[in-house]
Amino acid sequence: MTTTEAFRSRALAWLEANAERVGADDPAGDSARGYDADLPGSRRFQKALFDAGLAGLTWPKEYGGQGLGVEELLAWAEVSVDFVVPNAVFGIGHGMIGPTLIELGTEEQKQRYLPPMLSGEEIWCQLFSEPSGGSDIASLRTTATRTEHGWVINGQKVWTSGAHHSDFGAILTRTDPTVPKHEGITMFVVDMRHPGVTVRPLRIATGAAPFNEVFFDDVEVSEDAVIGQVGKGWPAAVVMLRNERIMLGAGGRSRGNPLGFDRLLAATRGAGSPAGSARTSDGLAELHARELALSQFGRLLHEESLAGVPIGSRGSVGKLAAGELMLWASDLAAELLGEAFLLDSGLAGMRYASVYAPGHAVAGGTGEIQRNIIGERILGLPKDGGVDKNVPFNQLRFG
Ligand SMILES: Cc1cc2nc3c(=O)[nH]c(=O)nc-3n(C[C@H](O)[C@H](O)[C@H](O)COP(=O)(O)OP(=O)(O)OC[C@H]3O[C@@H](n4cnc5c(N)ncnc54)[C@H](O)[C@@H]3O)c2cc1C
């Protein structure tokens, strides 16, 4: 037996003993709920996964990871597809902030933050977007001002997923307004329990409040909270956004996805398809093909990224395709299931995911922004003029 096969058997045995199998029914739609899911249950599950040596598969061993390779990562994706893995609340830490700290963090930061992030003891959020705009992150206005002891942060962030559960955040701030906007930014680790941090929930159409507005009033951070270097927050943000796009676009296929092929196939069998069987077959075949294409592309990006091959802007292709697939699958489900889509009590999770689909397409950067990136950096189309690129931030005109 190869080491990958041995790993696969161990992972499968653990999942069979510790996780629920994804059922054909869709009672709670837990896989769609993310931040709304049972938090103590998610923490228990993640701790057990960590203790079993199944968390942070490709992260270095010295920071709590397993030091395994892409084959084991892919084996995990394949075996876990049949199980409910309730760890969405840790996604930002594990998929975005952890990899950024591994690439840019100091040794002390890695030792301090990565193991409790992996074990689910500490939850993280990403504090990038602001009320003045999320697409143009480099125009951010939250400031960090140097003091005798470190820095003081003032300002506001918005759409911060999971801030209400978080112990720490990675925040982008303006530390030098006298230089062009991309050059005066610094990223910090901020303690979300600091008394100057106020988190207010934002409720969405599903009824849940997965994200928040977050206010910073004289929040002190020390010098060693800088992620990367002072004034180099923009390149650090690019690293994190690259990881975010891999995470959002290159996730494996999941039988638990309420808008995925397996669920829609079961639902059309249960409800009978008012749109007719030929249309149902065509729609399901296309859904299956699009899911497979996306998961193969995701596999390629994971393989290359772990092998140190620069994936460049191709994460934007996966992110765009994943966002569009959710929107399209949601329309397809409504078309094929008709009334049952609205009324069947067994399809609550599908409805929930459908209402959430537009948000999924916007999170991590809208389709327009991904298209701009693909056009300019992959297809070589002419670049946006960027009239504000070389102007000091404090001389820019807003509003
Ligand atoms: C579910 C969800 C979770 C999120 N979680 C987080 C989080 O945890 N942390 C965080 O920091 N942010 C988070 N966000 C915010 C998200 O990153 C932003 O909403 C997104 O980047 C868009 O920014 P905006 O909402 O400010 O829209 P704007 O930037 O104001 O854009 C408005 C519209 O203009 C278009 N547009 C803007 N600029 C251009 C351009 N140059 N070319 C063409 N079209 C353009 C956009 O595509 C969009 O349609 C989340 C958002 C959602 C929906």
Side-chain angles (χ1 to χ4, degrees):
M1 198 188 266
T2 65
T3 47
T4 307
E5 282 163 3
F7 170 82
R8 182 191 296 272
S9 314
R10 181 165 73 84
L12 183 60
W14 188 87
L15 283 163
E16 273 171 344
N18 294 280
E20 252 177 81
R21 261 189 190 272
V22 172
D25 58 337
D26 186 15
D30 260 355
S31 48
R33 286 185 195 278
Y35 292 100
D36 217 11
D38 158 34
L39 185 62
S42 297
R43 280 191 193 276
R44 274 194 304 277
F45 184 90
Q46 185 61 31
K47 178 71 169 63
L49 198 67
F50 179 76
D51 290 343
L54 291 169
L57 297 181
T58 58
W59 288 21
K61 280 191 170 167
E62 57 271 35
Y63 311 127
Q66 302 307 316
L68 297 170
V70 69
E71 288 307 323
E72 284 78 15
L73 188 69
L74 296 172
W76 172 260
E78 277 164 28
V79 291
S80 62
V81 84
D82 290 317
F83 295 87
V84 178
V85 178
N87 57 2
V89 72
F90 309 113
I92 287 181
H94 298 170
M96 294 156 52
I97 296 172
T100 306
L101 285 177
I102 290 172
E103 193 166 331
L104 301 175
T106 61
E107 189 54 32
E108 289 72 27
Q109 287 172 341
K110 294 184 216 184
Q111 299 276 1
R112 161 63 188 86
Y113 297 120
L114 295 177
M117 185 189 284
L118 266 190
S119 67
E121 261 165 85
E122 290 174 351
I123 298 177
W124 285 68
C125 60
Q126 177 207 37
L127 297 148
F128 281 17
S129 302
E130 298 196 357
S132 57
S135 300
D136 184 14
I137 303 169
S139 290
L140 61 92
R141 299 180 195 185
T142 295
T143 58
T145 314
R146 212 186 261 282
T147 67
E148 242 179 83
H149 310 292
W151 299 81
V152 170
I153 299 176
N154 279 289
Q156 185 195 343
K157 298 288 172 177
V158 73
W159 317 127
T160 316
S161 301
H164 51 308
H165 295 318
S166 292
D167 302 284
F168 294 102
I171 186 168
L172 286 182
T173 62
R174 183 151 314 275
T175 41
D176 186 355
T178 66
V179 293
K181 64 180 185 177
H182 291 92
E183 292 167 27
I185 296 173
T186 303
M187 188 188 285
F188 292 94
V189 174
V190 63
D191 180 354
M192 294 298 285
R193 313 286 181 207
H194 187 287
V197 177
T198 307
V199 177
R200 292 199 194 137
L202 292 169
R203 204 157 289 286
I204 61 170
T206 58
F211 47 37
N212 308 269
E213 44 183 2
V214 185
F215 299 85
F216 295 86
D217 294 300
D218 292 332
V219 175
E220 298 119 356
V221 290
S222 55
E223 198 64 46
D224 58 12
V226 174
I227 301 178
Q229 293 171 37
V230 173
K232 299 282 181 209
W234 183 252
V238 169
V239 170
M240 195 179 297
L241 290 169
R242 189 184 70 217
N243 286 308
E244 178 167 18
R245 285 166 193 159
I246 296 180
M247 179 182 84
L248 293 172
R253 182 168 159 263
S254 160
R255 292 199 214 292
N257 174 4
L259 285 171
F261 171 78
D262 298 271
R263 289 289 170 111
L264 194 51
L265 175 67
T268 50
R269 280 184 179 149
S273 169
S277 62
R279 174 66 192 120
T280 305
S281 306
D282 283 355
L284 287 169
E286 185 174 346
L287 179 57
H288 193 54
R290 286 175 72 160
E291 273 184 7
L292 274 183
L294 190 59
S295 83
Q296 288 305 314
F297 184 65
R299 184 187 168 116
L300 180 76
L301 290 191
H302 276 304
E303 277 175 348
E304 292 192 356
S305 155
L306 285 168
V309 177
I311 65 154
S313 304
R314 286 176 298 152
S316 289
V317 177
K319 162 69 184 76
L320 178 64
E324 303 231 313
L325 179 57
M326 288 285 269
L327 289 168
W328 180 81
S330 167
D331 286 348
L332 182 70
E335 182 196 339
L336 298 185
L337 298 170
E339 266 188 11
F341 179 70
L342 292 177
L343 303 176
D344 189 327
S345 59
L347 298 180
M350 195 177 278
R351 283 192 290 279
Y352 188 104
S354 184
V355 175
Y356 192 75
H360 185 81
V362 167
T366 64
E368 287 83 4
I369 296 303
Q370 308 313 324
R371 283 191 169 85
N372 282 350
I373 294 171
I374 293 165
E376 292 176 5
R377 299 194 207 145
I378 299 180
L379 302 177
L381 298 176
K383 274 189 182 281
D384 184 322
V387 285
D388 55 358
K389 233 177 157 183
N390 300 315
V391 183
F393 180 78
N394 59 8
Q395 287 173 34
L396 290 175
R397 291 196 296 169
F398 290 102

